[in-house]
Amino acid sequence: MPAIRPHGLARVLFWLAPRWRDPGWIAFALNRLTGAILVLYLLVHMVVLSRLAAGPSGWNDLLAIFGSQPFLVGDTLLIAAVVFHALNGARVAALTVGYGVRHSGRSVALVITGSAGLAALASWGILFR
Amino acid sequence: MSGPMSPRRFAGRPVADGQTAAPRSMEGLSRGPATPVRAGRLWLVQVVTGGALIGFLGLHLIVQHFLAPGGLRDFSSVVDYLRQPVAILAELGLVGSVVVHASLGVRTFVVELVHGRRARRLATILIAVLATGIVVDAVWLTYRIASSQS
């Protein structure tokens, strides 16, 4: 059977299509996505923290912005990304030593469910508590 | 013969015609940016820093957000916190592990996109320089904050 080799836009759409994919592929794609988000956040966080060098006026003015509702919603999304990345990283580390190899789909489902649960708990703590 | 157990595949990567499926000896495996032995070591470093990150980041979230009144520390509270030696160790441990972990992750991403040994090496050096810069900046910032008036 010849290999499928789509070109152009079809290639992008083929990559994005979740059909016929192994659950591990979905976890891999989400891990890459959350990793990229966390690296961007790390860079922004370092820039924001540099305001501390400007003294109290440079930092305390920012606290009102950090405590605003849009920022808190962003925090909950960030925590969701962190939790998924951490749980999936633990899953991948377990796979490399032989745990969960035969139950890849179940372990991915467990990671996604666990991430959603922990992110929901964090959202409640940040937004509604 | 095809499939994941085929000798035409090595470490899950399809092998082009004319190449051997697996290295015939361990000679030369430790040289170059993409050899299996080095990649294995870097993977181990990523796993270790990932594990350290769970601890350091958990501690950071608890101390900086859950224990702080209102979830955020004002300037004087940040200064008081960073004057404790244990706090400095915890924060610099977080910076070190997050930067090493993130650098290796970005390197993996770049190595898959960039072709050619020299280009990969250049990308690795650029990432290492950026990572070192971030760590130096974090150490300098911590020193500046800890030595300022609260």
Side-chain angles (χ1 to χ4, degrees):
Chain A
M1 185 180 161
I4 301 168
R5 293 183 188 281
H7 295 281
L9 183 64
R11 190 172 176 174
V12 176
L13 294 175
F14 179 78
W15 198 89
L16 291 174
R19 290 177 302 168
W20 326 121
R21 301 284 192 183
D22 184 85
W25 176 86
I26 295 168
F28 171 79
L30 284 174
N31 202 59
R32 277 283 164 93
L33 179 69
T34 52
I37 290 169
L38 294 176
V39 167
L40 288 177
Y41 173 77
L42 172 69
L43 296 175
V44 172
H45 195 56
M46 292 303 294
V47 170
V48 169
L49 285 181
S50 66
R51 289 287 298 260
L52 279 162
S57 60
W59 181 251
N60 291 341
D61 294 345
L62 289 174
L63 293 182
I65 301 170
F66 295 156
S68 65
Q69 201 71 4
F71 243 89
L72 294 179
V73 171
D75 278 349
T76 61
L77 294 175
L78 187 72
I79 286 179
V82 167
V83 169
F84 175 82
H85 200 79
L87 289 181
N88 192 58
R91 184 187 73 87
V92 174
L95 282 177
T96 45
V97 289
Y99 287 105
V101 177
R102 291 176 187 274
H103 307 287
S104 174
R106 229 179 284 175
S107 63
V108 170
L110 193 67
V111 164
I112 291 174
T113 311
S115 308
L118 286 172
L121 195 67
S123 307
W124 172 77
I126 291 171
L127 294 171
F128 304 111
R129 200 162 62 95
Chain B
M1 189 175 172
S2 63
M5 297 305 289
S6 162
R8 302 295 308 155
R9 285 171 175 265
F10 175 65
R13 180 181 294 178
V15 179
D17 289 339
Q19 288 181 309
T20 52
R24 291 182 189 278
S25 72
M26 296 299 284
E27 189 184 352
L29 283 183
S30 61
R31 290 197 297 268
T35 56
V37 168
R38 190 173 177 203
R41 282 191 200 129
L42 294 178
W43 165 246
L44 192 64
V45 171
Q46 193 153 25
V47 171
V48 170
T49 52
L53 257 179
I54 292 175
F56 282 127
L57 190 62
L59 187 68
H60 176 82
L61 286 175
I62 290 168
V63 171
Q64 298 287 1
H65 300 293
F66 294 141
L67 294 183
L72 292 165
R73 286 180 182 271
D74 61 10
F75 184 79
S76 60
S77 177
V78 172
V79 173
D80 290 341
Y81 171 69
L82 281 180
R83 281 185 179 157
Q84 303 169 66
V86 178
I88 292 177
L89 282 178
E91 293 302 322
L92 292 183
L94 173 64
V95 169
S97 51
V98 80
V99 167
V100 171
H101 190 83
S103 304
L104 291 175
V106 171
R107 181 187 168 278
T108 307
F109 196 69
V110 169
V111 159
E112 286 174 11
L113 293 176
V114 174
H115 297 284
R117 193 169 165 156
R118 285 187 68 173
R120 285 179 177 176
R121 190 165 173 77
L122 183 66
T124 303
I125 290 170
L126 284 176
I127 292 166
V129 168
L130 183 65
T132 308
I134 291 174
V135 171
V136 169
D137 179 59
V139 172
W140 174 81
L141 187 63
T142 307
Y143 170 75
R144 280 281 305 269
I145 296 164
S147 60
S148 62
Q149 298 292 324
S150 58

